[in-house]
Amino acid sequence: MHNDSLLEDIQEVNLSYLLLAQRMLKEDRETAMFRLKINERMADLMASLSVKQLSQMARSNQLLCRLAYVDPDQFLKLSGNPRELGMAQTHAALLMAADRFSTSGH
């Protein structure tokens, strides 16, 4: 029973993620590509999928999204000093930009 509930939760997260990603791409493609860490080809594909296709993809038993931070130190920095909460979004954007730059081969 617990596994069925977990699978339903995964599928719900998948659908929410795919719908959000598609909306982000339609509203501001460049920012969405940066935030989703995807290239133009993937952005084109995600934006072109129908709701039926998104629903089919969401029914996977695997999460379609993953944490943007694979380094635990970077992840911890996001929840660091509570006095710096005003800078948290800026700090997150900088960490993501640095990661994208280092993995893109530039």
Side-chain angles (χ1 to χ4, degrees):
M1 191 65 131
H2 183 282
N3 285 339
D4 290 340
S5 175
L6 187 59
L7 181 58
E8 288 174 12
D9 289 344
I10 288 171
Q11 293 172 348
E12 185 178 326
V13 167
N14 283 343
L15 184 58
S16 294
Y17 172 75
L18 291 169
L19 291 170
L20 175 62
Q22 195 173 63
R23 189 176 110 212
M24 290 168 60
L25 287 165
K26 289 178 180 176
E27 290 179 10
D28 185 347
R29 182 181 169 91
E30 293 302 317
T31 300
M33 288 173 50
F34 170 75
R35 288 183 173 163
L36 296 168
K37 294 188 172 192
I38 60 173
N39 62 27
E40 287 191 35
R41 187 170 171 215
M42 181 60 102
D44 291 341
L45 177 60
M46 289 183 83
S48 71
L49 294 173
S50 69
V51 173
K52 182 178 179 180
Q53 290 171 310
L54 293 176
S55 296
Q56 289 171 335
M57 291 179 70
R59 285 193 288 266
S60 170
N61 65 350
Q62 300 292 314
L63 284 171
L64 298 178
C65 58
R66 67 180 182 94
L67 286 174
Y69 304 100
V70 293
D71 180 359
D73 291 333
Q74 284 184 334
F75 193 68
L76 282 172
K77 288 177 185 176
L78 293 177
S79 63
N81 189 342
R83 292 179 295 172
E84 299 172 355
L85 287 179
M87 295 298 292
Q89 288 181 338
T90 303
H91 191 225
L94 290 171
L95 287 172
M96 288 179 73
D99 183 56
R100 186 172 187 190
F101 184 74
S102 68
T103 59
S104 66
H106 288 97

